């Protein structure tokens, strides 16, 4: 598939507001996550249809472990069921499933489902779905620093190697090494925070905030975000004149 002009190659989403949606409808928080999971399924198709090549969804942060045990267990169970159920559709639609984050810490069933989805969809080419699980942007950078120090220690002059370390080389030590930098970062739920999401790779992302709770996010909302993106001038630190 060829790249579409002006469409963000990599869209990242903070799917916020499941809990407040549930509260608003007098439903248990987990019902909010279930509805949210449905929208997560849909957004992958909306993105693929729009010509987006990678979509990263923030499904579970390193901080989310501190939520009530029931909610954490419910989210992990939802992850395992949803992944296995969606696998045939991901195959059919050409979705390559990948993850970012500390997958080893997930409960056995969730980990097995993740491993299976990664393995079985590895040759799909239409769009990458990158589910961020047990993910933290600061943790990703710390792990990158540790790898960079190990790498430097193997060089003839470790001190010089570290002194000359540039952004491209450092990025190769990060979990996101194989994804492209984020072009558009969408956050729902009426909050304006990055919340430790893709700190390195969202350095030049265009930010888009939608006040709706995630379970209410629609295809029209997604297309509005894409439209808004196409109207932005991305300067990457240059002046408008330089770009012209
Ligand atoms: C933030 O809303 C959302 C999450 C912490 C989980 C996101 C998960 C899904 C959309 C479902 C898909 C799940 C998996 C595991 C694939 P919140 O609960 O913080 O909402 P609130 O701010 O209104 O409380």
């Amino acid at each position: 598939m060829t790249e579409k002009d002006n469409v963000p190659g990599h869209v990242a989403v903070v799917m916020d507001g499941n809990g407040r949606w549930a509260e608003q409808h007098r439903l248990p928080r987990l019902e909010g996550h279930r509805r949210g999971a449905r929208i997560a399924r849909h957004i992958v198709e909306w993105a693929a249809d729009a010509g987006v090549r990678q979509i990263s969804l923030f499904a579970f942060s390193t901080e989310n472990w501190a939520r009530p045990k029931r909610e954490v267990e419910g989210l992990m169970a939802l992850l395992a069921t949803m992944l296995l159920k969606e696998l045939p559709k991901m195959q059919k639609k050409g979705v390559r499933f990948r993850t970012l984050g500390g997958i080893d810490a997930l409960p056995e069933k969730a980990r097995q489902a993740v491993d299976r989805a990664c393995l079985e969809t590895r040759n799909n080419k239409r769009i990458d779905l990158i589910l961020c699980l047990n993910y933290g942007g600061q943790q990703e950078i710390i792990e990158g620093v540790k790898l960079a120090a190990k790498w430097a220690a193997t060089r003839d002059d470790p001190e010089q190697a570290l002194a000359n370390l540039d952004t491209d080389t450092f990025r190769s030590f990060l979990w996101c090494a194989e994804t492209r930098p984020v072009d558009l970062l969408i956050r729902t739920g009426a909050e304006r925070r990055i919340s430790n999401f893709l700190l390195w790779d969202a350095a030049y992302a265009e930010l888009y905030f939608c006040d709706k709770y995630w379970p209410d996010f629609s295809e029209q909302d997604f297309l509005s975000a894409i439209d808004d993106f196409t109207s932005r001038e991305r300067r990457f630190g240059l002046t408008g004149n330089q770009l012209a």
Side-chain angles (χ1 to χ4, degrees):
M1 185 179 155
T2 53
E3 304 276 322
K4 286 195 188 166
D5 278 354
N6 254 343
V7 170
H10 184 179
V11 175
V13 190
V14 180
M15 309 177 286
D16 196 16
N18 294 346
R20 281 165 291 159
W21 181 93
E23 211 171 284
Q24 195 181 52
H25 292 80
R26 297 183 202 288
L27 291 165
R29 286 182 65 83
L30 264 177
E31 189 50 34
H33 293 313
R34 267 184 222 113
R35 302 291 176 113
R38 274 193 219 163
I39 308 300
R41 271 171 34 204
H42 291 316
I43 199 175
V44 180
E45 291 192 25
W46 303 334
D49 288 347
V52 171
R53 304 308 310 273
Q54 296 189 317
I55 182 154
S56 294
L57 303 179
F58 204 1
F60 196 85
S61 75
T62 41
E63 290 73 29
N64 287 154
W65 294 109
R67 290 195 172 199
K69 192 165 171 266
R70 248 178 87 115
E71 184 171 342
V72 172
E73 286 174 354
L75 273 168
M76 290 299 152
L78 179 62
L79 168 68
T81 345
M82 186 181 124
L83 269 183
L84 296 179
K85 193 167 152 231
E86 287 304 304
L87 203 43
K89 206 186 253 173
M90 287 198 274
Q91 294 292 35
K92 200 167 143 211
K93 302 263 175 181
V95 178
R96 182 167 70 142
F97 177 82
R98 299 164 57 194
T99 60
L100 271 193
I103 300 307
D104 290 350
L106 301 187
E108 182 73 13
K109 268 194 180 160
R111 215 174 52 234
Q112 280 175 359
V114 161
D115 286 347
R116 191 171 152 200
C118 288
L119 186 72
E120 293 190 15
T121 64
R122 69 190 182 286
N123 294 322
N124 293 344
K125 296 207 163 28
R126 187 157 172 246
I127 188 169
D128 287 346
L129 161 59
I130 301 151
L131 207 56
C132 300
L133 290 162
N134 188 22
Y135 175 84
Q138 292 175 335
Q139 290 76 357
E140 177 179 16
I141 293 171
I142 289 176
E143 292 308 313
V145 169
K146 291 180 194 167
L147 281 183
K150 275 194 193 158
W151 161 83
T154 66
R155 316 302 286 181
D156 291 341
D157 186 344
E159 228 172 272
Q160 198 58 39
L162 278 182
N164 291 338
L165 183 64
D166 58 19
T167 49
D168 283 347
T169 313
F170 183 65
R171 188 174 189 275
S172 71
F173 299 124
L174 295 175
W175 298 334
C176 64
E178 285 171 32
T179 61
R180 41 172 97 194
V182 178
D183 297 301
L184 171 64
L185 193 154
I186 301 174
R187 181 177 189 136
T188 59
E191 308 286 4
R192 274 116 178 97
R193 290 190 286 272
I194 293 185
S195 299
N196 204 15
F197 191 37
L198 301 174
L199 294 183
W200 182 275
D201 255 7
Y204 283 98
E206 296 296 325
L207 307 182
Y208 184 88
F209 298 102
C210 171
D211 286 348
K212 284 187 181 174
Y213 297 144
W214 176 248
D216 288 329
F217 192 73
S218 66
E219 182 168 17
Q220 192 47 55
D221 297 321
F222 178 73
L223 294 176
S224 299
I226 301 287
D227 262 4
D228 187 82
F229 174 88
T230 56
S231 70
R232 307 254 185 119
E233 181 183 61
R234 304 188 76 195
R235 291 199 291 275
F236 298 98
L238 303 180
T239 66
N241 281 345
Q242 282 177 305
L243 287 179

